[in-house]
Amino acid sequence: MSGKLYLVGLIVNTHGIRGELKILSRTDFPELRFAKGSKLVFVHPETGAQVPVTVDGARQQKGLYLVRFNGWDNINQVERFKGWQVKVEEQYLAELDEGEYYVHQIVGCRVTDREGRHLGEVTEVLYPGANHVWVISRGKGKKPWLLPVIDEVVKDVDVANKLITIEPMEGLIDE
């Protein structure tokens, strides 16, 4: 494997005895990532050990994806992967439409208001429900704040220059 790897899911458990894994999706493209023939990589979160895999089939159930992988058809073969991350190689990332971006392009971006005032930097992306939420670090000793990713707040995302312009709603930023 060459190139960078990007998180697309977390293995939370096994399902049944035929080698399926329950995966919590961390991608906006689960239909692409978990499609038959998709090339992924299991990564151990502590050791960094990597195991390349190919999706044999998947289905959605209760907010998770039940995924089978080529060559594994028994719970005993997949049980050891509980808690591992599921990643995709950079070469398999899909082309995005204009105005769309990947999470790894957002993390590290500076956040400013429309007047150019520096408000912080995106350090993490959360997935609580209806929309994503960006965690904005404001520097040493200051409490981070949460930015809802909605059109009313996020006005411009310039991933090339790592700059996000927002129009904060009243009460969004506590000084």
Side-chain angles (χ1 to χ4, degrees), residues 45-70:
E46 293 169 9
T47 67
Q50 298 180 2
V51 177
V53 296
T54 303
V55 175
D56 185 41
R59 65 188 193 278
Q60 196 172 6
Q61 183 184 66
K62 298 181 183 175
L64 299 172
Y65 283 82
L66 306 180
V67 186
R68 288 184 326 277
F69 295 92
N70 288 346

Side-chain angles (χ1 to χ4, degrees), residues 5 12 20 25 28 30 66 74 80 86 100 112 121-122 142 145-146 149-151 175:
L5 297 174
V12 295
E20 285 184 304
S25 176
D28 287 332
L66 306 180
N74 185 298
R80 69 184 177 112
V86 181
E100 294 182 334
T112 64
E121 183 177 299
V122 180
K142 293 186 178 179
W145 52 279
L146 303 178
V149 183
I150 54 177
D151 290 340
E175 296 294 332

Side-chain angles (χ1 to χ4, degrees), residues 98-141:
E98 190 168 328
E100 294 182 334
Y101 34 80
Y102 284 106
V103 169
H104 68 268
Q105 294 173 307
I106 295 301
V107 173
C109 283
R110 296 179 329 274
V111 179
T112 64
D113 62 16
R114 287 194 171 194
E115 288 75 44
R117 184 174 65 137
H118 180 74
L119 302 173
E121 183 177 299
V122 180
T123 57
E124 184 179 359
V125 177
L126 305 176
Y127 308 87
N131 54 274
H132 294 169
V133 173
W134 294 337
V135 178
I136 310 300
S137 171
R138 299 189 297 171
K140 202 170 195 166

